[in-house]
Amino acid sequence: MNPALVCIPTYNERDNLEPITRAVLAADPRVDILVVDDNSPDGTGQLADALAAREPRIRVLHREKKQGLGRAYLHAFRQALDWGYTYILEMDADFSHDPRHLPTLLDTAQSGAELVLGSRYVPGGGTVNWGVGRQLISQGGSLYARSILGVGIRDLTGGFKCFHRRVLEAIDLNAVQSTGYAFQIELTYRALKKGFTVREVPIVFEDRRVGQSKMSRRIFLEALTMVWKLRLTV
């Protein structure tokens, strides 16, 4: 077993799954992969099983139904802790998170940071294939969240992260309320409130290559309202 586990939630990612797992394994020999499939109707889960049968560094977790990104990650985190991994990473299956950044995230964690954030909004970071409107919404959302929460993190909404296990052990995972992209804000904020060292490292975020975005109006509205709940309750 390697020291780090990369958790990759999937729902209808059959076309992306084999290329992304191959790229992740090639990017860093210190990582294993956990594919968390929410009963994808396109056969993603079955493909994940086939890949795991050929590659001992790949594990698969099957969930009965789609319950949101946050629920999938929480399930994966609990499993990773039970298996004894020291570092638990999260990333998307669609290549918007480039596996070439994995060594930097893990190196930074091994050098002492307890939560490492892949950040689009620090020097050296950025986005590719985004229109002006999407850039304004993303940067405005991060500014909105950090202003309300009173934190200095530049990219609160990003989902390319590396946790030391003690962060996930200290956070009450059962108390995490968010299911969509607000989940990313919530976990980082809870880590900061616990006093953990959080560092941002630059990444370049590229719009997904294959398939459709999982973003919806409900997920967006959850993020808008959740920051106030966090400010008042955490």
Side-chain angles (χ1 to χ4, degrees):
M1 187 178 81
N2 281 307
L5 184 68
V6 179
C7 303
I8 305 178
T10 58
Y11 186 77
N12 288 347
E13 295 285 1
R14 183 179 178 86
D15 291 338
N16 284 314
L17 185 61
E18 186 166 4
I20 193 65
T21 54
R22 186 168 57 245
V24 167
L25 295 179
D28 198 312
R30 296 169 292 180
V31 305
D32 295 333
I33 295 173
L34 175 60
V35 178
V36 188
D37 187 66
D38 278 1
N39 199 19
S40 299
D42 73 344
T44 301
Q46 291 84 349
L47 175 58
D49 286 335
L51 294 173
R54 302 197 303 263
E55 172 53 67
R57 291 170 64 193
I58 298 177
R59 302 174 184 239
V60 185
L61 181 62
H62 294 281
R63 289 161 47 80
E64 291 184 1
K65 61 182 179 179
K66 193 172 188 292
Q67 296 178 310
L69 185 72
R71 300 302 105 182
Y73 272 132
L74 290 174
H75 198 162
F77 293 164
R78 292 186 182 100
Q79 189 64 74
L81 293 173
D82 286 345
W83 283 333
Y85 283 95
T86 302
Y87 302 98
I88 298 99
L89 297 96
E90 57 173 82
M91 68 179 294
D92 292 344
D94 59 11
F95 281 96
S96 55
H97 297 146
D98 194 325
R100 69 185 173 89
H101 297 301
L102 284 168
T104 301
L105 268 72
L106 191 50
D107 287 346
T108 306
Q110 290 185 327
S111 69
E114 292 157 308
L115 171 55
V116 185
L117 311 178
S119 178
R120 296 160 290 185
Y121 306 131
V122 295
T127 60
V128 176
N129 298 328
W130 277 23
V132 174
R134 186 169 179 186
Q135 291 185 41
L136 289 173
I137 290 172
S138 177
Q139 293 187 46
S142 284
L143 175 61
Y144 171 83
R146 70 174 182 264
S147 297
I148 292 171
L149 297 175
V151 299
I153 299 298
R154 303 295 300 176
D155 193 348
L156 273 171
T157 60
F160 200 4
K161 299 181 176 180
C162 179
F163 297 87
H164 193 284
R165 65 175 293 120
R166 58 178 167 261
V167 176
L168 298 178
E169 289 170 334
I171 292 173
D172 181 3
L173 296 181
N174 292 325
V176 175
Q177 304 171 57
S178 310
T179 57
Y181 286 90
F183 174 82
Q184 307 299 355
I185 302 171
E186 181 168 358
L187 256 67
T188 297
Y189 185 62
R190 287 182 179 273
L192 288 166
K193 293 292 283 185
K194 289 286 186 180
F196 289 109
T197 301
V198 180
R199 294 182 187 163
E200 293 182 270
V201 297
I203 64 163
V204 175
F205 183 100
E206 183 177 356
D207 209 1
R208 63 183 297 126
R209 300 179 183 179
V210 178
Q212 296 180 338
S213 171
K214 307 300 193 299
M215 178 61 78
S216 68
R217 179 175 293 183
R218 180 188 63 80
I219 291 172
F220 179 72
L221 290 175
E222 180 198 39
L224 288 178
T225 58
M226 183 55 67
V227 291
W228 287 104
K229 292 180 182 178
L230 292 172
R231 179 63 185 270
L232 296 172
T233 61
V234 175

